[in-house]
Amino acid sequence: ISRLSLEQALKFKEMRIPGRPVILSPRSQAQAMQTLQSIIKILYKRLFDAIVRRINESSAGRSDTPPSERFNSIGTLDIYGFERLRTNSFEQLC
């Protein structure tokens, strides 16, 4: 996605009605921030899912690897409420 497309999506709500031209309705600053936060959450979820998928593929091992040499588990830590903090950063997680 280009920078211009992202700016357009944040600044304007696009409404489509079949057979009519696209209508662009300006967003308020609060609406633009809410839209940005929604986009960030979607990107975070997709990235997280991709990382989990990659870990699962890696830990499954190849089919010719003996079961005794395959990884069968991975430890994770879920910090409840982390997403509710006013400021979130990678440093807080580490």
Side-chain angles (χ1 to χ4, degrees), residues 15-78:
M15 294 181 278
R16 295 178 183 264
I17 301 170
R20 303 186 104 185
V22 174
I23 300 170
L24 297 178
S25 175
R27 296 184 196 270
S28 68
Q29 185 174 4
Q31 290 170 326
M33 287 300 296
Q34 186 175 15
T35 302
L36 178 60
Q37 289 173 357
S38 295
I39 291 170
I40 290 168
K41 285 180 182 181
I42 290 168
L43 291 174
Y44 179 85
K45 181 188 181 319
R46 289 183 180 178
L47 179 60
F48 182 82
D49 289 347
I51 291 169
V52 169
R53 185 172 43 257
R54 179 74 172 134
I55 289 170
N56 288 339
E57 290 169 358
S58 297
S59 63
R62 299 186 329 228
S63 59
D64 62 342
T65 305
S68 62
E69 295 180 18
R70 294 183 194 165
F71 297 105
N72 294 319
S73 66
I74 183 168
T76 60
L77 172 64
D78 179 18

